Amino acid sequence: MIYKIIAVLAFVVSVLLVLLAAKMLMNRKWIAGFLRGCAGFIALLAAITIALAAFDMSTYRVVDNDKSIMTLSFKRQGGDSYLVEMHAVSGEDFSTIIDGQQWQLEARVFKWAPLFKAVGFNTGFRLASLQGRYIELQVGRQNVRSPEILSSSTFIDMWSVLNQSPFVFPAVEAYTSTPGFIPMADGAIFDVVLTGKNLVAHPVNDVAKTAMASW
């Protein structure tokens, strides 16, 4: 009997709630206020998203074709470990130790369509990572080291959005560029330039030229 009473009371409460909800939903002022609140919340969310996207884009640097973006110098620390000192044209300096006989620099690039480029939207880049590699596969498997991350994205990663979904804004191409793996040598200095869509590493001194020639 008690459960039937509970069920009846619950049913009465549900009916009262339905009537209350109907009264509230039929109030046009409430509906208009709700819609204004939703619109305001969406506008605020859009503003925050755009601001974060703008901040992420501000971390990219403009580069002209065939112009240097970074110089790298190598100092042997013992065995196949090298201290790499990097100087970017943007004024940023990096230093890290990588292992192996070859190195590879990776950059994220934005390349604009000709119409946008004509009005000042030049190619932009951001250094992504630097890693070393062993030529001998067996040695490489035993000495695996993660790539050195030179920069990281903020809350909104515009490069990933445009790279994975190019239809979002087809006027710009987002891609990764690298000069490939280049031999390391004690005292070698390389200059990295952006030529067309690709990064190219140029040997600066005789040590680097010798390493490239024997590669």
Side-chain angles (χ1 to χ4, degrees), residues 60-64 66-72 86-94 105 123-127 190-194 199:
Y60 287 79
R61 300 290 181 265
V62 173
V63 60
D64 294 324
D66 292 326
K67 295 294 183 180
S68 173
I69 67 170
M70 169 172 276
T71 58
L72 301 92
M86 298 161 276
H87 178 69
V89 293
S90 57
E92 299 167 298
D93 291 316
F94 306 89
L105 180 70
T123 301
F125 79 96
R126 189 174 74 190
L127 300 172
F190 294 91
D191 187 33
V192 179
V193 303
L194 183 66
L199 291 181

Side-chain angles (χ1 to χ4, degrees), residues 42-60:
I42 292 173
L44 178 61
L45 185 62
I48 294 173
T49 301
I50 292 172
L52 292 175
F55 178 75
D56 182 69
M57 294 293 288
S58 71
T59 62
Y60 287 79

Side-chain angles (χ1 to χ4, degrees), residues 15-80:
V15 171
L16 292 175
L17 288 174
V18 168
L19 294 175
L20 179 62
K23 182 179 180 180
M24 295 177 63
L25 292 174
M26 290 176 66
N27 188 329
R28 295 183 179 181
K29 293 183 179 180
W30 181 87
I31 295 175
F34 175 76
L35 293 176
R36 283 196 300 269
C38 289
F41 180 77
I42 292 173
L44 178 61
L45 185 62
I48 294 173
T49 301
I50 292 172
L52 292 175
F55 178 75
D56 182 69
M57 294 293 288
S58 71
T59 62
Y60 287 79
R61 300 290 181 265
V62 173
V63 60
D64 294 324
N65 195 43
D66 292 326
K67 295 294 183 180
S68 173
I69 67 170
M70 169 172 276
T71 58
L72 301 92
S73 61
F74 295 82
K75 296 179 181 178
R76 190 188 297 272
Q77 301 298 292
D80 289 321

